[in-house]
Amino acid sequence: MLGSFTLVRDGTTVPLPVDARRVVAYLAVHPRPQPRHALAADLWPGVPSDAASRLLDEAVDAIGVAGLPVDSVDEELALTAGVEVDLAEAMALVRELPERPVLGPSEIGPLCADILPSWTSSWIAVERERFRQLRLYALEELSLRLIAAARHDDAIEIAQIAVHAAPSRESARRALIEAHLAQGNIAAAVAQYDAYRELLRSSVGGPVATALDTVLPPSPAWPAVRGFRRPVQRSAVALPGLRSIRNAPTASRRLVTGGSITGPGR
């Protein structure tokens, strides 16, 4: 469910028709038993109820995986209890993070992707945004805990995941800036601050005041940091018979072939 839809059974990917895939995805996002009429209405909005119910029956029959959807006596559908869903694992991780030891980037894989980002149905959009807010908040809090534990590289990496997912989210950008500052990387912190200000300026068409304006401590070094440019590397290739005078007066700085360089008028 996270990133893309995949159904795996005994290590083998199981292909599903489109409508069957939508039924399984809906039940994976909604772990409680779902009334068939409500499920049909959500999956086929605007379709008459009788026709939507027939489409649902056909989709369930097309799943072809024994025991995957469970049809209860109350006309409800749910996934079998033994089905493992990565979204459920991610939600459990979000709930457990405050009580668990501080995790690193390699241990938070379920929090690095949204629910089926390429799907456009309205029923998935609501759940996607809900989970997205939860996972971004968890990533930001984890980054701050890593800063407190002096694990600055891990804090930066996790904050970057949050910024990549939501570039205009102020709290995510703050976490990344604070991680850079904690590491002592002032230039990177200033670059993130300026990038965020430019993102907002391009979005609204003018300067925007944000709470990040107070994150960077006052320092006369900021103009120098912002104005730093890596020097352009000049070619060191020498052409045969071609010489240049770099330290000569402007009037006599010219290229000649052979001979010597003389002053003006010669």
Side-chain angles (χ1 to χ4, degrees), residues 12-32:
T12 302
T13 301
V14 180
L16 292 179
V18 173
D19 284 347
R21 189 160 60 241
R22 294 170 65 208
V23 170
V24 174
Y26 190 102
L27 297 178
V29 171
H30 303 86
R32 295 181 179 179

Side-chain angles (χ1 to χ4, degrees), residues 5 18 21-22 25-26 116-121 123-125 128:
F5 180 90
V18 173
R21 189 160 60 241
R22 294 170 65 208
Y26 190 102
L116 303 177
S118 63
W119 290 32
T120 58
S121 301
W123 66 266
I124 197 74
R128 180 191 299 127

Side-chain angles (χ1 to χ4, degrees), residues 74-216:
D74 296 326
E75 287 293 303
E76 294 179 332
L77 283 173
L79 293 182
T80 304
V83 176
E84 297 179 357
V85 180
D86 54 1
L87 175 58
E89 296 173 0
M91 294 297 293
L93 180 58
V94 168
R95 290 190 295 268
E96 296 168 2
L97 274 179
E99 285 74 38
R100 294 181 63 171
V102 185
L103 303 181
S106 62
E107 302 169 283
I108 49 95
L111 302 182
C112 294
D114 285 326
I115 300 174
L116 303 177
S118 63
W119 290 32
T120 58
S121 301
S122 57
W123 66 266
I124 197 74
V126 174
E127 297 300 327
R128 180 191 299 127
E129 183 59 24
R130 173 175 171 270
F131 173 68
R132 185 170 181 268
Q133 295 299 322
L134 289 173
R135 79 178 183 91
L136 290 176
Y137 178 79
L139 290 171
E140 293 160 4
E141 290 297 305
L142 181 56
S143 179
L144 296 177
R145 292 180 64 193
L146 287 165
I147 291 174
R151 294 168 57 183
H152 301 137
D153 289 341
D154 287 346
I156 290 172
E157 185 173 346
I158 287 179
Q160 285 174 333
I161 296 173
V163 169
H164 179 74
S168 61
R169 184 179 169 96
E170 185 173 304
S171 53
R173 194 76 63 155
R174 174 187 288 271
L176 180 53
I177 290 174
E178 291 183 353
H180 281 308
L181 289 175
Q183 192 182 44
N185 197 340
I186 299 174
V190 172
Q192 286 296 327
Y193 172 82
D194 287 344
Y196 182 69
R197 289 297 302 270
E198 177 59 23
L199 176 64
L200 295 185
R201 187 202 62 77
S202 62
S203 299
V204 303
V208 178
T210 75
L212 291 184
D213 295 341
T214 61
V215 173
L216 297 176

